[in-house]
Amino acid sequence: MIESEKNIGQPTVELTNMVMVEDKKSGKVLVQERIKSWRGVSFPGGHIEPGESFVDSAVREVKEETGLDIRSLRLCGTVHWAHRKNHNRYIVFLYKTSDYSGSLVDSTDEGRVFWVKPEELESLDLSPNFEKYVPMFLSDEHSEAYGMWSEDGEDVIIYK
């Protein structure tokens, strides 16, 4: 059997990360107003590259998108999306930290970055489903969120 034929119909898995960087002095969190790939306000993050650890990918993505160097990341949850029909998986590892250094850039090709108070998040134009991730960053109540999606159905998420 040809190698590419083995994967026909096999579900794919996409691994990503998102990081809440908190400034302890001001109580604000760093957000990005994304304009590339998808639109809206969310925490910085992105894809995990082949051969890259989850934490290393989060550190790299935050550096690329904000200019900041982050350390002492704490895993605060996982969001696990499954497609209703083809069973593809999209997994987001959620981290938070208040240990950072460097100079914040105003924007990158991904979008503008800025600080906001957590209670202001709901008033912003958030990226799709980001409001479902926020509780996992701000509370220790849940460690996993499991969601189902399809092109013709409403996204549903269950906290664990």
Side-chain angles (χ1 to χ4, degrees), residues 70-110:
I70 58 173
R71 295 167 294 285
S72 308
L73 278 71
R74 186 168 68 85
L75 184 66
C76 57
T78 304
V79 181
H80 178 191
W81 291 98
H83 192 279
R84 285 187 174 95
K85 295 179 182 172
N86 63 23
H87 308 290
N88 288 344
R89 304 294 182 131
Y90 184 85
I91 301 171
V92 187
F93 295 92
L94 307 179
Y95 294 96
K96 60 184 172 181
T97 186
S98 58
D99 189 357
Y100 66 91
S101 61
S103 298
L104 184 67
V105 298
D106 291 332
S107 66
T108 67
D109 64 340
E110 299 276 349

Side-chain angles (χ1 to χ4, degrees), residues 1-42:
M1 181 182 301
I2 299 172
E3 185 66 29
S4 62
E5 290 177 346
K6 289 181 186 178
N7 294 325
I8 293 175
Q10 293 293 320
T12 62
V13 177
E14 191 170 350
L15 302 174
T16 65
N17 59 61
M18 187 175 283
V19 182
M20 181 180 81
V21 180
E22 181 181 19
D23 179 7
K24 290 286 190 181
K25 289 181 187 175
S26 69
K28 293 182 176 182
V29 294
L30 187 61
V31 295
Q32 179 178 46
E33 187 174 24
R34 292 188 56 92
I35 58 173
K36 186 178 177 184
S37 302
W38 36 271
R39 296 189 176 277
V41 172
S42 69

Side-chain angles (χ1 to χ4, degrees), residues 116-148:
V116 298
K117 292 205 174 282
E119 58 270 16
E120 295 172 338
L121 286 171
E122 63 187 34
S123 68
L124 300 174
D125 183 21
L126 302 179
S127 64
N129 292 307
F130 180 61
E131 77 282 355
K132 297 173 183 173
Y133 296 17
V134 172
M136 296 182 68
F137 286 105
L138 301 179
S139 166
D140 292 332
E141 186 176 346
H142 306 289
S143 62
E144 178 186 3
Y146 177 73
M148 298 291 289

Side-chain angles (χ1 to χ4, degrees), residues 45-64:
H47 287 89
I48 297 165
E49 300 296 332
E52 187 176 42
S53 81
F54 299 149
V55 170
D56 288 346
S57 70
V59 169
R60 175 186 52 77
E61 286 288 350
V62 170
K63 177 69 172 182
E64 289 174 1

